[in-house]
């Protein structure tokens, strides 16, 4: 029996090429035969773009969609929805995600997932066969997992019947015959895994197309999907599309690895949006370092956005506006402009002025960096040195542990840029959410596992080679060592013993280094904060890492949207810990600074100043003049009062509101 | 509306030399430029718009046909070109087939209905397997024009 739906074309441009393509693509996902007609045109095949175009259906035209087949009801529901949704063409959509890097940008989208691939015919050598086979297997199994996830979410959002498309995909990937053919092409023809996949599937596509069976020919779209997915898994980061951009875009992707982000061409990529991610993930940190607005955790960005759609990224408020209307564009154009004008004015006004309060308390503002090349941006904005060099980024892009020389070269390069300005090198902070070392076993709870300094103490060879590199560099520059994630006095002593060992060894070999090199620790574990007075006696400085300190103290994973609202730097527990740590540092006469994100959030500047901090290490560089502006606008006395008031509140929301109001008076342009 | 009216007999190419998407489009745009149907200074911008449209999704709409198209502020009256590649060009067409026949379509910015009507006309022509066959096997440009005129006349 036939089923029929009557629906009006309401998108501005009618059933032109793109809507027809979307309609046909969607229609092809169903087994039913689908036909479309209008009042005065004969019925055409709803799965053919060409046929649909012959209808010439303008806006306002009513079309009749009919379907015949077992899944006709679902097909009609989906197609009717597509027409009513204006073929997803000109409807503005605002999505809320997590703001991870400030700024506003309006550009066209480059959707990473949906662009085409070019597969070169590539032959492999005899001894590479095993490697290619295992790549093939890996790609297949991760493709399978991806599809399963997709199936789950589609099933939740669109119903299980539509999700059954993906069940078919899974079956295809489990097909032994298909896998055998892939393997044969690799083993016998010595084709690369990519080429084998592409070749085998293209043959299937041809076969299916030539069969006069609607069910089989409908599978062609599925095979294309499978092919794309396998290739994406195989090509991984080797894909080159992002490097071949010719115009300015914002990148929309399911997820971006830190190395993908770090290799973005920032002259072309002006912002990014991802489905996954959190504020603390390294990709977010890199985005801030690059100074491009970014919003993550949108959930379905890659589904909602089509390549070429106009997108507004509001990195200040965590909003992504897809296909904005004229009014919204105008609004944002003025925000975008004002933001840049203000930032530029601020930085040119303040660059050469010291960070000193109205009553003469001097503060130093330093930069946080991931790569030596980030130093110049910090210095340009007036940083007086580097307060945190995250050396784990040396692991980016290389599967092996960086050598001592690689460490040394990076440090020397940094020193060349910095002259005698300070460079605080943090020993590798691996694990948690970043760059699992290749030999690390999967941990059930990586944030409480063998990460950071614990990993280094477990792997003294890795640790020592970095320490040697730092010490060698200390002979020529103002270098300090910073240990991350110290949680007890004994751990610190162990780390220091290893430094001592390396020093002794270098002395014996006559290698120069700074005998008086300053050693400090991150205070980012609550236990370290609690025993800060003991730790202070063993080190030259503290650097407060607020991201982990907050996460561990409040037991909140900020990337988990169910609990993210519980994460607040203004929680009284955090403020009390800060006070405690600062007091311990003052009593023991050691330096103390902050290098966590809280230090770069201008609403907290006065509070931190008032609590007694004199060193702020921040990223991105653009924040430096903002912090300076605030410091130059208050007296230390006033800051102390503010801190006291803030500490008297017991509701984080109230504290934040109070602090924001004060900061807004100084920089209204930046606090919404 | 007749296809030949907005394409014109002189904007027909029987043997495209290009072998990739961008150069095919460029080759067709150049024909229009040489006939002064588009402003020389706008050529780059028009190319950019056409390529951008291809990035949104290939205009290779299947059956060996592609209709690269864009609206552009410099265009005052709908214009276009018709071209054939003997070897076929990989165009990321939706059915994966190489593309042999190309209709380039340039419309004024505010011309939704004309643009749609032109697409309607072109698609009803290419839907006809005889047309595709005859045009692909035509021995020269003037034969291609003749076939186009013939189907143009036919009621669709």
């Amino acid at each position: 029996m036939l089923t029929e739906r009557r629906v009006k074309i309401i998108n501005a441009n009618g059933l032109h090429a793109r809507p027809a393509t979307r309609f046909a693509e969607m229609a092809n996902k169903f087994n039913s035969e689908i036909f479309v007609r209008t009042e005065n045109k004969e019925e055409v095949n709803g799965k053919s773009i060409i046929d649909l175009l012959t209808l010439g259906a303008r806006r306002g035209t009513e079309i009749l969609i009919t379907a015949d087949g077992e899944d006709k009801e679902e097909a009609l529901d989906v197609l009717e929805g597509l027409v009513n949704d204006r073929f997803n063409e000109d409807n503005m959509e605002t999505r809320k995600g997590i703001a991870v890097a400030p700024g506003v940008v309006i550009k066209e989208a480059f959707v990473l997932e949906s662009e085409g691939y070019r597969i070169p015919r590539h032959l492999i050598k005899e001894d590479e066969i095993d490697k290619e086979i295992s790549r093939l297997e890996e790609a297949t199994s991760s493709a399978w997992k991806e599809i399963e996830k997709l199936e789950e979410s589609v099933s939740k959002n669109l119903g299980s019947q539509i999700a059954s498309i993906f069940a078919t995909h899974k079956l295809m990937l489990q097909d032994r015959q298909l896998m055998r053919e892939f393997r044969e092409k690799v083993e016998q023809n010595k084709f690369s895994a990519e080429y084998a996949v592409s070749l085998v599937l293209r043959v299937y596509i041809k076969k299916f197309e030539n069969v006069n069976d609607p069910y089989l020919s409908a599978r062609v779209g599925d095979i294309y999907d499978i092919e794309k997915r396998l290739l994406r898994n195989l090509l991984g980061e080797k894909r080159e599309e992002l490097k071949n951009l010719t115009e300015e875009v914002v990148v929309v992707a399911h997820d971006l690895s830190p190395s993908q982000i770090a290799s973005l061409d920032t002259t072309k990529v002006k912002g990014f949006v991802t489905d996954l991610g959190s504020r603390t993930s390294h990709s977010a940190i890199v985005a801030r370092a690059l100074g491009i607005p970014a919003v993550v955790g949108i959930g379905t960005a890659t589904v909602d956005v089509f390549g070429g759609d106009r997108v507004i990224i509001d990195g200040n408020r965590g909003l992504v506006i897809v296909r904005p209307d004229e009014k919204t564009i105008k609004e944002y154009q003025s925000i975008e402009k004002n933001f840049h004008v203000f930032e530029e004015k601020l930085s040119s006004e303040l660059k050469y002025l010291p960070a000193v309060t109205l009553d003469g308390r001097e503060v130093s503002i330093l930069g946080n960096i991931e790569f030596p090349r980030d130093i110049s941006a910090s210095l340009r904005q007036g940083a007086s040195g580097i307060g945190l060099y995250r050396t784990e980024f040396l692991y980016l892009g290389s599967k092996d542990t960086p050598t001592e020389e690689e460490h040394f070269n990076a440090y020397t390069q940094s020193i060349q840029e910095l002259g005698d300005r300070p460079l605080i090198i943090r020993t590798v902070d691996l694990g948690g959410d970043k760059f699992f070392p290749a030999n690390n076993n999967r941990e059930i709870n990586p944030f409480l596992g063998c990460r950071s300094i614990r990993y280094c103490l477990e792997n003294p060879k890795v640790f020592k080679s970095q320490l040697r590199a730092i010490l060698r560099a200390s002979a020529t520059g103002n270098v300090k060592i910073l240990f991350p994630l110290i949680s007890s006095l004994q751990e610190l002593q162990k780390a220091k013993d290893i430094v001592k060992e390396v020093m002794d060894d270098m002395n014996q070999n006559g290698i120069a280094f700074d005998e008086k090199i300053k050693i400090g620790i991150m205070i980012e574990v609550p236990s370290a904060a609690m025993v800060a007075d003991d730790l202070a006696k063993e080190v030259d400085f503290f650097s407060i890492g607020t991201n982990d300190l907050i996460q561990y103290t409040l037991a909140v994973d900020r990337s988990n949207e169910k609990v993210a609202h519980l994460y607040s730097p203004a929680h009284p527990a955090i403020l009390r810990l800060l006070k405690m740590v600062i007091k311990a540092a003052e009593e023991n006469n050691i330096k103390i600074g902050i290098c966590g994100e809280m230090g770069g959030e201008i609403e907290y500047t006065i509070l931190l100043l008032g609590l007694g901090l004199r060193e702020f290490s921040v990223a991105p560089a653009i924040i430096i003049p903002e912090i300076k502006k605030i410091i130059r606008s208050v007296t230390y006395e006033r800051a102390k009062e503010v801190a006291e008031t803030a500490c008297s509140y017991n509701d984080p929301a109230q504290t934040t509101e109070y602090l924001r109001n004060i900061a807004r008076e100084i920089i209204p342009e930046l606090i919404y | 509306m007749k296809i030949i009216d907005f394409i014109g007999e002189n904007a027909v190419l029987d043997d495209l030399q290009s072998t990739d998407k961008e150069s095919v489009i460029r080759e067709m745009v150049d024909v229009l430029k040489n006939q002064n149907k588009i402003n020389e200074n706008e050529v780059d911008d028009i190319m950019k718009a056409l390529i951008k449209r291809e990035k949104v999704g290939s205009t290779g709409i299947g059956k060996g046909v592609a209709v690269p198209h864009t609206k552009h502020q410099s265009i005052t009256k709908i214009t276009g070109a018709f071209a054939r590649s003997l070897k076929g060009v990989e165009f990321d067409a939706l059915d994966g087939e190489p593309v042999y026949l190309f209709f380039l379509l340039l419309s004024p910015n505010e011309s939704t209905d004309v643009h749609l009507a032109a697409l309607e006309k072109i698609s009803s022509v290419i839907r006809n397997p005889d047309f595709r066959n005859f045009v692909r096997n035509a021995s020269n440009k003037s034969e291609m024009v003749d076939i186009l005129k013939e189907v143009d006349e036919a009621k669709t």
Side-chain angles (χ1 to χ4, degrees), chain A residues 370-373 389-415 423 425 428 462 464-473:
Chain A
E370 276 86 31
F371 304 99
R373 64 160 194 249
Y389 177 5
R390 303 184 155 102
T391 56
E392 57 277 10
F393 276 74
L394 281 164
Y395 280 71
L396 266 184
S398 73
K399 282 212 169 112
D400 307 317
T401 306
T403 61
E404 179 185 326
E405 279 321 294
E406 281 166 337
H407 279 286
F408 180 70
N409 290 339
Y411 307 153
T412 316
Q413 194 191 334
S414 308
I415 291 167
L423 170 66
I425 302 177
V428 292
V462 174
K464 279 183 183 169
S465 83
Q466 177 172 30
L467 289 173
R468 272 176 75 96
I470 299 176
L471 288 167
R472 280 167 62 197

Side-chain angles (χ1 to χ4, degrees), chain A residues 126-338:
Chain A
E126 187 78 41
D127 59 359
E128 290 172 328
I129 290 179
D130 287 352
K131 196 190 84 202
E132 288 300 291
I133 294 284
S134 72
R135 286 183 62 225
L136 194 58
E137 283 165 354
E138 265 176 45
T140 315
S141 90
S142 30
W144 197 88
K145 281 178 205 143
E146 282 174 20
I147 296 171
E148 186 163 63
K149 270 197 198 139
L150 210 57
E151 186 182 15
E152 258 171 48
S153 77
V154 171
S155 165
K156 221 186 292 162
N157 299 324
L158 298 173
S160 61
Q161 265 146 335
I162 294 178
S164 68
I165 298 167
F166 297 109
T168 319
H169 289 194
K170 284 200 299 191
L171 283 178
M172 284 186 192
L173 280 177
Q174 284 169 316
D175 189 294
R176 285 202 190 143
Q177 169 68 21
L178 192 63
M179 292 304 134
R180 199 176 315 130
E181 286 181 51
F182 288 160
R183 293 179 74 108
E184 272 173 16
K185 291 278 180 266
V186 175
E187 284 166 357
Q188 290 165 20
N189 305 53
K190 313 259 182 328
F191 288 150
S192 68
E194 289 90 343
Y195 192 63
V197 163
S198 188
L199 202 75
V200 170
L201 290 176
R202 291 293 159 139
V203 171
Y204 270 97
I205 287 168
K206 283 271 172 310
K207 270 191 206 160
F208 279 25
E209 272 175 343
N210 294 333
V211 173
N212 204 0
D213 174 339
Y215 177 78
L216 284 182
S217 52
R219 299 275 75 83
V220 170
D222 292 331
I223 303 178
Y224 273 122
D225 263 353
I226 297 269
E227 181 195 32
K228 235 179 179 179
R229 195 172 295 282
L230 283 173
L231 290 178
R232 193 179 60 234
N233 276 295
L234 281 169
L235 292 166
E237 288 169 15
K238 276 195 292 176
R239 291 164 54 193
E240 285 188 326
E241 301 100 313
L242 267 180
K243 291 179 193 139
N244 299 333
L245 290 174
T246 51
E247 49 198 302
E248 295 186 349
V249 293
V250 295
V251 168
V252 176
H254 185 60
D255 196 11
L256 286 169
S257 68
S259 54
Q260 272 177 315
I261 293 176
S263 65
L264 293 181
D265 175 0
T266 42
T267 62
K268 297 286 186 294
V269 176
K270 294 299 174 189
F272 70 81
V273 183
T274 58
D275 292 344
L276 306 179
S278 70
R279 203 176 156 79
T280 39
S281 61
H282 255 65
S283 50
I285 292 168
V286 181
R288 285 194 287 281
L290 290 173
I292 57 176
V295 175
V296 303
I298 286 284
T300 55
T302 40
V303 180
D304 300 336
V305 182
F306 291 93
D309 275 349
R310 186 132 41 159
V311 170
I312 297 175
I313 300 180
D314 179 346
N316 303 324
R317 283 181 284 191
L319 296 180
V320 176
I321 302 167
V322 186
R323 296 176 289 272
D325 56 29
E326 283 305 315
K327 187 174 145 265
T328 315
I329 291 173
K330 287 221 174 77
E331 253 172 57
Y332 267 95
Q333 274 167 343
S334 87
I335 294 178
E336 189 184 19
K337 207 171 129 216
N338 291 343

Side-chain angles (χ1 to χ4, degrees), chain A residues 18 88 178-179 186 402 406 499 502 511 604 612 622 632:
Chain A
R18 254 167 300 163
N88 304 326
L178 192 63
M179 292 304 134
V186 175
E406 281 166 337
V499 176
V502 176
I511 303 169
Y604 299 119
I622 200 171
R632 292 179 57 86

Side-chain angles (χ1 to χ4, degrees), chain A residues 386-562:
Chain A
I386 296 305
L388 175 65
Y389 177 5
R390 303 184 155 102
T391 56
E392 57 277 10
F393 276 74
L394 281 164
Y395 280 71
L396 266 184
S398 73
K399 282 212 169 112
D400 307 317
T401 306
T403 61
E404 179 185 326
E405 279 321 294
E406 281 166 337
H407 279 286
F408 180 70
N409 290 339
Y411 307 153
T412 316
Q413 194 191 334
S414 308
I415 291 167
Q416 276 166 4
E417 290 245 10
L418 284 165
D420 55 5
R421 297 183 186 94
L423 170 66
I424 301 181
I425 302 177
R426 183 174 71 184
T427 57
V428 292
D429 187 16
L430 294 162
D433 57 345
K434 33 200 173 184
F435 326 123
F436 259 103
N439 55 350
N440 205 337
N441 295 322
R442 279 281 165 88
E443 295 178 319
I444 291 173
N445 197 340
F447 278 97
L448 302 182
C450 183
R451 59 173 288 215
S452 199
I453 192 73
R454 301 169 182 176
Y455 172 78
C456 286
L457 294 175
E458 284 287 311
N459 296 274
K461 242 177 107 183
V462 174
F463 194 33
K464 279 183 183 169
S465 83
Q466 177 172 30
L467 289 173
R468 272 176 75 96
I470 299 176
L471 288 167
R472 280 167 62 197
S474 73
T476 57
N478 182 0
V479 171
K480 304 173 191 185
I481 301 176
L482 177 62
F483 296 133
L485 207 80
I486 293 290
S487 60
S488 72
L489 183 61
Q490 291 66 38
E491 214 169 25
L492 167 60
Q493 281 163 343
K494 256 189 221 163
K496 281 179 66 184
D497 286 348
I498 295 178
V499 176
K500 183 78 180 19
E501 259 177 61
V502 176
M503 284 178 162
D504 287 347
D505 184 61
M506 288 173 75
N507 267 330
Q508 274 174 17
N509 290 296
I511 303 169
F513 62 93
D514 176 5
E515 302 264 359
K516 291 187 180 133
I517 189 165
K518 299 269 192 278
I519 296 181
I521 55 171
M522 299 275 294
I523 300 288
E524 52 184 340
V525 182
S527 61
M530 308 285 284
V531 298
D533 49 349
D534 289 342
L535 296 170
K537 296 184 176 68
E538 295 279 330
V539 292
D540 303 301
F541 64 95
F542 283 162
S543 184
I544 306 172
T546 47
N547 304 6
D548 274 340
L549 186 63
I550 298 169
Q551 135 159 309
Y552 290 134
T553 306
L554 305 183
V556 171
D557 172 3
R558 218 173 8 171
S559 63
N560 179 340
E561 57 179 32
K562 289 220 173 70

Side-chain angles (χ1 to χ4, degrees), chain B residues 64-115:
Chain B
V65 182
V67 281
H69 60 266
T70 189
K71 292 179 184 170
H72 195 265
Q73 43 83 17
S74 70
I75 306 286
T76 49
K77 189 166 166 273
I78 189 163
T79 182
F82 175 39
R84 175 177 71 175
S85 160
L86 293 168
K87 289 191 196 131
V89 177
E90 280 307 326
F91 213 76
D92 304 321
L94 293 138
D95 58 2
E97 298 281 337
V99 171
Y100 297 90
L101 301 178
F102 299 87
F103 288 91
L104 174 73
L105 206 52
L106 303 176
S107 330
N109 260 346
E110 306 302 329
S111 66
T112 300
D113 290 351
V114 181
H115 174 76

